[in-house]
Amino acid sequence: MTVAVNGEKIFLGTNGYPLQSAAVYGPIHSRRYGYSLGINPLPISYKFCDFDCVYCQYGWTPRPGSEVQRTEERLKSANELLSEVERIFQELTAAQTPVDMITIAGNGEPTLHPDFLKFVKGLVRLRGEYFPGKRIGILSDASQCHRPQIREALQGLEERCMKLDAGDPKTIEQINRPAGGFNLKRTIEALKSLDNVTIQSMFVQGTCDNTQAEQVDRWVNAVGEIQPISVQIYTIDRPPADSRIRPVPMARLHEVAEICERVAGVPTEVFE
Ligand code: SF4
């Protein structure tokens, strides 16, 4: 599915929400981060992820060999991506566009890019050239953070926001629907040994629910083990892949945050 915006073809997820249409997007302004520039090392015509979260804003993940993936937009090499990023960085600096932060995210899970370490090293170099002093962060599902090369890349960034929506494999299976090979215990161990991790957790209700007492207890235990520098919790505010899930009332999110702070001893903030 596509739409035309200002003559540009934009691809849509299965839920009708637009995918990012280039290797660099934004900047998007938020009170927290100021002007944040998004970096997408992934395809622009389909979501590329090893999770298939029920709440994903980009809709369901296409399975290998599915019709969407047969369009065969290939992943760009690190060098191709870096050339595109540099061209846009040049345009942004020439236009004096304000940029406060650079965030690697994009149409799926960025650490799945096969040249991720090389790409990150190049991006850090370009940041030094065009936006010196600005921070680079990542939004990741944490599935690859046990791999040595991915760890090296992650440690080269200033901010690591890593997903953890549950502390038990059954709930992860229901909410994140990971591809084969995901191992929650291994991920928790890997997160424990990364520096200055922020955990981001999405809570949902409806056909899947990670807000019940037992699931919250297990999630809090996992957070306590990891001991991140902070936890950010939130609920859906964009069209989810599964239209049968619902946002969680703010009152319950605040209860979950309070339990996390008290039991795990980690500052926990509700994103509204
Ligand atoms: S990890 Fe992120 S991109 Fe992947 S399915 Fe979940 S929400 Fe979507």
Side-chain angles (χ1 to χ4, degrees), residues 39 82 85-86 89 102 104 116-137 152-160:
I39 302 292
L82 291 166
V85 169
E86 180 160 24
F89 278 13
I102 296 167
I104 306 170
F116 187 67
L117 177 57
K118 183 175 175 185
F119 175 65
V120 164
K121 285 182 172 172
L123 184 64
V124 168
R125 179 179 50 77
L126 291 177
R127 179 269 309 271
E129 230 170 283
Y130 293 92
F131 301 109
K134 304 303 176 193
R135 298 169 73 74
I136 308 183
E152 186 183 341
L154 292 173
Q155 296 284 49
L157 306 174
E158 282 78 38
E159 293 193 16
R160 290 159 281 282

Side-chain angles (χ1 to χ4, degrees), residues 43-140:
I44 60 164
S45 62
Y46 57 91
K47 183 173 77 160
F48 191 86
C49 197
D50 54 354
F51 278 13
D52 196 5
C53 304
V54 289
Y55 57 77
C56 185
Q57 70 184 69
Y58 297 129
W60 297 118
T61 304
R63 293 297 170 196
S66 67
E67 197 177 327
V68 177
Q69 284 217 328
R70 280 199 295 271
T71 63
E72 283 305 339
E73 179 196 353
R74 62 177 179 82
L75 285 166
K76 291 177 182 143
S77 70
N79 286 342
E80 287 172 301
L81 282 169
L82 291 166
S83 302
E84 193 174 334
V85 169
E86 180 160 24
R87 182 178 52 76
I88 300 171
F89 278 13
Q90 280 167 348
E91 288 171 9
L92 291 167
T93 45
Q96 299 186 322
T97 306
V99 171
D100 299 311
M101 164 109 204
I102 296 167
T103 305
I104 306 170
N107 294 328
E109 173 48 36
T111 64
L112 290 176
H113 191 284
D115 264 346
F116 187 67
L117 177 57
K118 183 175 175 185
F119 175 65
V120 164
K121 285 182 172 172
L123 184 64
V124 168
R125 179 179 50 77
L126 291 177
R127 179 269 309 271
E129 230 170 283
Y130 293 92
F131 301 109
K134 304 303 176 193
R135 298 169 73 74
I136 308 183
I138 186 168
L139 306 180
S140 167

